[in-house]
Amino acid sequence: MDIQSIKAFVQVATFGNYTKAANEMNYAQSTVTMQLKRLEEELGYPLFEKIGRRNYLTSQGKVFLSYANRILSLFQEASSISDDPKAMKGTVRVGALESIVFSRVLPKLGVYRSEYPNSEITIKIAESTELLNMLRENRIDIAWVAGERIKDSSLECLLLKEEQLSFVASSKHPLANKKPSVEEILSYPVISTEASGYCYFKLHEIALAHSVELSHAVTVESIHGVSQLLHDGISVAFLPSNAISDVELKIIETSILPQIRYSQMLVLGNKWRSPLIKGFADIMDY
């Protein structure tokens, strides 16, 4: 019984699908199939039964899953035993919003890699709701989300920050050096983030409060894509202030109350946290 076979088993149990599990592990599907077959032969009982297109855990598989998660947790704990951070081994699976990845994670990733050179970081970009689901399904170790403050007793917050949301435009925009009203700002074409995002929700909340009917010129899933489109010198957007690194963009001051979102780095409360995870949180604290 080897650790890779147990990892493959947990991934198939998570996705219910050999192909998705293989993609997650960067393996060929045949490799995952072989690992699971060998594991079932060693254990002496079937772990999955296929119903339709999905693989479901057998009664024995459900029992073994709890053991498998404990084995993997103990394995990572044992791999991380060292007084020297540079000798620690293990993987940290990070899930974060795109804006957080580019504005917070990537700038400090070199520092983390220097401190923990034998560790491996995997990064997944998704929206907050999906990231929380991935965290609860044990597909990631850390979920770095933003929006309303999340208070969930099953989760532990390693990092909590307030981030201001602002109207943004090109420095060449007609409103760039003024302090316009919300009505004036929203009379210009609006480049929006995806409808499922917190910025989109807050923008519509502001528009409703000022009785403005929004007309979206373009909707883009990427904040960096939004930033690029603002170079037209006529459009506006509503974005996290700290996600704007483009020197040609400018925050438009207005009279509305500060708009805040909470940035939270979350982990499962009942899960062992390796020094690598704690180190990641410490280095990313800004």
Side-chain angles (χ1 to χ4, degrees):
M1 186 183 301
D2 63 88
I3 202 72
Q4 292 303 321
S5 294
I6 295 175
K7 288 181 179 179
F9 163 70
V10 172
Q11 291 296 335
V12 175
T14 299
F15 291 104
N17 183 283
Y18 279 67
T19 302
K20 290 182 179 179
N23 291 338
E24 183 75 10
M25 300 179 72
N26 292 319
Y27 286 170
Q29 181 182 331
S30 58
T31 301
V32 171
T33 302
M34 180 185 66
Q35 288 173 329
L36 266 293
K37 182 178 180 182
R38 184 168 61 237
L39 184 59
E40 288 178 328
E41 288 174 351
E42 291 182 31
L43 292 171
Y45 50 77
L47 296 169
F48 295 99
E49 56 183 348
K50 189 168 185 178
I51 302 176
R53 294 185 176 182
R54 186 175 176 86
N55 293 279
Y56 292 88
L57 288 167
T58 61
S59 56
Q60 298 98 324
K62 291 177 182 178
V63 174
F64 182 70
L65 180 60
S66 64
Y67 287 104
N69 283 322
R70 285 159 59 187
I71 290 169
L72 293 180
S73 180
L74 288 170
F75 177 78
Q76 181 150 358
E77 187 173 348
S79 300
S80 299
I81 295 174
S82 176
D83 293 329
D84 180 8
K86 294 186 182 299
M88 292 181 183
K89 297 181 180 180
T91 301
V92 179
R93 302 169 299 169
V94 179
L97 296 175
E98 182 232 20
S99 60
I100 290 176
V101 168
F102 284 95
S103 65
R104 299 302 176 197
V105 178
L106 296 185
K108 292 193 174 182
L109 199 55
V111 177
Y112 182 85
R113 294 291 301 130
S114 175
E115 188 72 16
Y116 302 95
N118 289 316
S119 68
E120 179 184 349
I121 293 280
T122 64
I123 299 175
K124 294 186 178 297
I125 297 176
E127 283 302 308
S128 292
T129 301
E130 184 180 354
L131 291 171
L132 291 173
N133 288 336
M134 292 169 68
L135 181 64
R136 293 187 176 102
E137 293 171 357
N138 196 36
R139 292 161 55 194
I140 54 176
D141 302 307
I142 294 171
W144 201 343
V145 300
E148 297 292 345
R149 188 171 179 180
I150 296 171
K151 297 180 180 179
D152 185 330
S153 59
S154 69
L155 305 176
E156 181 177 341
C157 183
L158 301 183
L159 184 63
L160 173 66
K161 296 290 181 180
E162 287 188 359
E163 298 178 343
Q164 186 161 333
L165 304 177
S166 304
F167 287 105
V168 181
S170 165
S171 57
K172 299 177 182 178
H173 194 281
L175 301 179
N177 298 309
K178 299 179 180 180
K179 191 173 182 178
S181 66
V182 169
E183 290 83 356
E184 287 180 279
I185 295 172
L186 296 182
S187 68
Y188 286 86
V190 178
I191 308 296
S192 299
T193 53
E194 67 284 346
S196 60
Y198 189 72
C199 292
Y200 185 97
F201 165 75
K202 292 299 291 184
L203 175 61
H204 277 255
E205 191 176 71
I206 292 169
L208 182 62
H210 289 80
S211 302
V212 176
E213 185 175 346
L214 275 176
S215 177
H216 299 290
V218 183
T219 300
V220 185
E221 291 188 0
S222 165
I223 285 181
H224 288 269
V226 173
S227 299
Q228 290 299 309
L229 290 172
L230 290 176
H231 287 180
D232 65 1
I234 197 68
S235 301
V236 297
F238 190 65
L239 303 172
S241 302
N242 53 21
I244 304 302
S245 57
D246 192 326
V247 295
E248 294 184 16
L249 299 183
K250 186 173 182 177
I251 292 173
I252 302 176
E253 301 293 340
T254 188
S255 58
I256 63 172
L257 293 173
Q259 301 297 307
I260 301 297
R261 76 173 186 177
Y262 291 94
S263 170
Q264 293 177 262
M265 187 186 293
L266 302 167
V267 295
L268 288 175
N270 60 356
K271 183 179 177 181
W272 175 78
R273 287 176 291 286
S274 72
L276 298 176
I277 292 175
K278 295 175 183 177
F280 181 86
D282 290 341
I283 290 172
M284 296 296 158
D285 193 358
Y286 56 92

